[in-house]
Amino acid sequence: MLSSRRTDARRNREAILRTADEAFAEDVDLVPLSEIARRSGLGRATVYRHFSDRYALGIAVAESKLHLLRELVAECDFIEVLEELFDEQISRRPLVRLFRELPPADQRRYAGQLVAILAPGLREAQESGVIRSDVGPDDLALICEMVEGALSSHLPTPGGVESVQRVVEVMLAGLRA
């Protein structure tokens, strides 16, 4: 009986995370936890049992994304990893906004985790001559901030997100050796 409860709990958590990830891809401020419950077909109490608030849910989604990023770094070309990272940053605006609401110390901690995940891929790409040798791991966090600045800019951008994607392509080209 206990095993089936744990299996159900794990399945519910995965359903909540999947639903929240989909919601974070929408162009809205934030989807309330009650809406996540409705979309996942679970009760509100079940969602709140797993995640006390939207921050806890957002962090869990981000941690699953970091896990996937770690796998990408181990398996893919580093430029492809960065393309995926920036695609996520561009398409998951509610998740990024949620992280912008965290205390600065938490933001620095998660940025540090991101850099730690990317650093081995960066070193390998530099050793193989794909990425410029003068790019350091901490530069990657700054590049993410630059993309964020472009995405959150109040300046008129004629192409919107497409303009930011074009700028990302230019930055990626600038990273190549």
Side-chain angles (χ1 to χ4, degrees):
M1 180 70 173
L2 187 58
S3 178
S4 68
R5 278 192 197 156
R6 287 185 184 149
T7 301
D8 287 346
R10 188 172 41 254
R11 189 173 38 245
N12 288 345
R13 180 181 172 81
E14 290 169 3
I16 295 165
L17 289 173
R18 198 172 33 256
T19 302
D21 184 43
E22 292 168 4
F24 285 134
E26 297 174 2
D27 192 19
V28 296
D29 283 337
L30 272 176
V31 177
L33 289 182
S34 58
E35 179 64 12
I36 299 295
R38 187 192 68 72
R39 291 182 188 190
S40 65
L42 300 169
R44 289 174 59 175
T46 301
V47 173
Y48 281 99
R49 193 168 27 256
H50 287 277
F51 304 101
S52 58
D53 58 25
R54 64 189 179 116
Y55 297 103
L57 179 58
I59 288 169
V61 169
E63 286 175 352
S64 70
K65 294 290 184 185
L66 288 175
H67 177 74
L68 292 173
L69 187 63
R70 188 175 286 114
E71 291 175 0
L72 280 177
V73 167
E75 299 170 1
C76 296
D77 172 74
F78 192 66
I79 292 292
E80 292 174 10
V81 171
L82 292 178
E83 288 171 343
E84 180 65 25
L85 174 66
F86 296 131
D87 283 347
E88 288 289 317
Q89 185 178 4
I90 291 168
S91 67
R92 300 287 191 275
R93 300 308 302 151
L95 183 60
V96 172
R97 283 191 292 273
L98 185 140
F99 267 79
R100 292 294 191 184
E101 294 174 10
L102 292 174
D106 289 340
Q107 290 182 37
R108 284 190 297 276
R109 182 168 44 92
Y110 286 110
Q113 286 180 6
L114 176 65
V115 169
I117 289 168
L118 294 172
L122 172 64
R123 283 190 294 275
E124 184 178 310
Q126 288 173 321
E127 289 168 4
S128 64
V130 174
I131 299 290
R132 298 165 48 139
S133 61
D134 60 344
V135 176
D138 290 335
D139 294 334
L140 299 173
L142 184 57
I143 291 168
C144 288
E145 280 296 308
M146 292 167 58
V147 171
E148 186 58 29
L151 287 164
S152 59
S153 173
H154 297 291
L155 295 175
T157 52
V161 170
E162 291 79 19
S163 293
V164 175
Q165 289 168 328
R166 190 179 65 255
V167 168
V168 166
E169 290 173 17
V170 170
M171 282 194 311
L172 291 174
L175 290 174
R176 293 182 194 277

